[in-house]
């Protein structure tokens, strides 16, 4: 009944600007879309390994465009917490930051984990209730599948405005002849939304998965 009511509203504002119609459609899709459909896959998650060389950690902190970074021990499945850059910026600038201070900053609030299959509507409510912006998506065994943010969900409603342009640049590389070299691991939803491609919204979540499904074999 709720969905029918919202669809009725969408019909009534059909003469409104296109962006308003897209927002209504985005709201409708929140109940049918799951966190794993829009998450940054674990292979693309930018984080800090607390066991890494200290100079490498400092370099990452100094050049990252992100305001929040996951901190983990050796592997993303062993998450320590989330580092808020504004909390450590002063320590970093004064040269007082060390591993213990970094760990302390990341553990001030426990990391948030959500099971795969969680709808975007449920996750949006959880983010609002818990006053969080980042969550790790995990499978039934507790292994991290990826990372979902509040901005990712908002972009499903209002369109792209913040999310990781660097991710798209790594996934789609224009070639001199006008073609594009696209990473097979690129999320299909990201490619469809940002490049205007008409890709299936159901089924495989990556470009390589769509190709294999279409060919019914693994191409050379």
């Amino acid at each position: 009944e709720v969905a029918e009511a919202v669809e009725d509203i969408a019909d009534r504002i059909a003469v409104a600007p296109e962006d308003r119609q897209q927002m209504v459609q985005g709201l409708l899709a929140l109940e049918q879309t799951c966190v794993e459909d829009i998450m940054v896959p674990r292979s693309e998650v930018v984080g800090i390994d607390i066991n890494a060389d200290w100079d490498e950690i400092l370099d990452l902190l100094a050049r990252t465009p992100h305001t929040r970074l996951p901190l983990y021990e050796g592997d993303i499945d062993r998450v320590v917490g989330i580092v808020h850059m504004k909390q450590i910026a002063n320590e970093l600038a004064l040269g007082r930051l060390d591993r213990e201070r970094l760990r302390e900053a990341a553990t001030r609030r426990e990391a948030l984990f959500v099971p795969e299959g969680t709808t975007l509507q449920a996750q949006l409510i959880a983010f609002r209730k818990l006053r969080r912006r980042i969550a790790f998506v995990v499978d039934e065994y507790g292994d991290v599948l990826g990372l979902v943010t509040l901005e990712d969900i908002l972009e499903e409603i209002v369109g792209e405005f913040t999310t990781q342009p660097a991710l798209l640049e790594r996934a789609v590389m224009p070639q001199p002849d006008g073609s594009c070299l696209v990473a097979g691991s690129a999320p299909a939803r990201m490619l469809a939304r940002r490049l205007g491609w008409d890709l299936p919204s159901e089924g495989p979540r990556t470009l390589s998965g769509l190709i294999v499904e279409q060919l019914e074999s693994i191409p050379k």
Side-chain angles (χ1 to χ4, degrees):
E1 294 180 359
V2 174
E4 291 177 358
V6 176
E7 288 177 352
D8 182 58
I9 294 174
D11 290 338
R12 293 183 183 184
I13 65 170
V15 296
E18 183 179 349
D19 56 346
R20 291 179 60 187
Q21 296 179 46
Q22 290 177 346
M23 287 178 64
V24 173
Q25 293 169 358
L27 285 168
L28 281 171
L30 293 187
E31 291 186 3
Q32 286 78 45
T33 308
C34 297
V35 288
E36 62 267 28
D37 293 325
I38 69 167
M39 69 181 183
V40 178
R42 62 177 292 156
S43 61
E44 298 287 348
V45 172
V46 178
I48 307 168
D49 181 359
I50 192 66
N51 297 328
D53 181 81
W54 185 243
D55 287 337
E56 293 181 6
I57 293 176
L58 291 178
D59 181 62
L60 176 58
L61 291 172
R63 61 182 172 80
T64 181
H66 304 288
T67 57
R68 295 168 176 81
L69 287 173
L71 182 72
Y72 56 88
E73 290 185 308
D75 187 274
I76 193 65
D77 288 321
R78 301 176 62 189
V79 176
V80 175
I82 301 292
V83 173
H84 294 247
M85 289 301 298
K86 67 179 182 181
Q87 294 177 348
I88 66 169
N90 188 54
E91 299 290 319
L92 182 63
L94 296 175
R96 299 189 307 209
L97 187 68
D98 57 24
R99 292 183 195 273
E100 289 307 311
R101 287 176 187 254
L102 187 61
R103 181 186 293 273
E104 179 185 355
T107 55
R108 288 175 184 172
R109 296 185 74 181
E110 293 184 359
L112 181 62
F113 297 91
V114 298
E116 60 178 328
T118 301
T119 66
L120 297 190
Q121 181 182 35
Q123 189 56 44
L124 182 60
I125 294 173
F127 275 146
R128 182 174 182 271
K129 181 179 180 180
L130 300 174
R131 300 180 66 84
R132 300 292 190 91
R133 300 173 68 97
I134 293 177
F136 295 94
V137 181
V138 297
D139 63 15
E140 59 182 316
Y141 304 105
D143 295 331
V144 173
L145 301 176
L147 194 68
V148 64
T149 69
L150 175 61
E151 288 78 9
D152 292 331
I153 298 178
L154 293 179
E155 285 192 352
E156 291 295 308
I157 303 173
V158 302
E160 182 180 353
F161 63 99
T162 59
T163 301
Q164 302 182 26
L167 178 58
L168 183 63
E169 291 176 4
R170 291 197 301 270
V172 182
M173 295 163 282
Q175 302 298 296
D177 62 359
S179 64
C180 286
L181 184 63
V182 183
S185 60
R189 287 180 65 85
M190 179 192 73
L191 295 174
R193 183 171 65 245
R194 301 186 188 182
L195 301 180
W197 293 358
D198 183 17
L199 298 176
S201 58
E202 302 294 334
R205 298 188 176 93
T206 64
L207 180 61
S208 61
L210 289 173
I211 292 173
V212 170
E213 181 182 67
Q214 179 70 24
L215 297 179
E216 297 183 347
S217 64
I218 298 177
K220 293 182 180 179

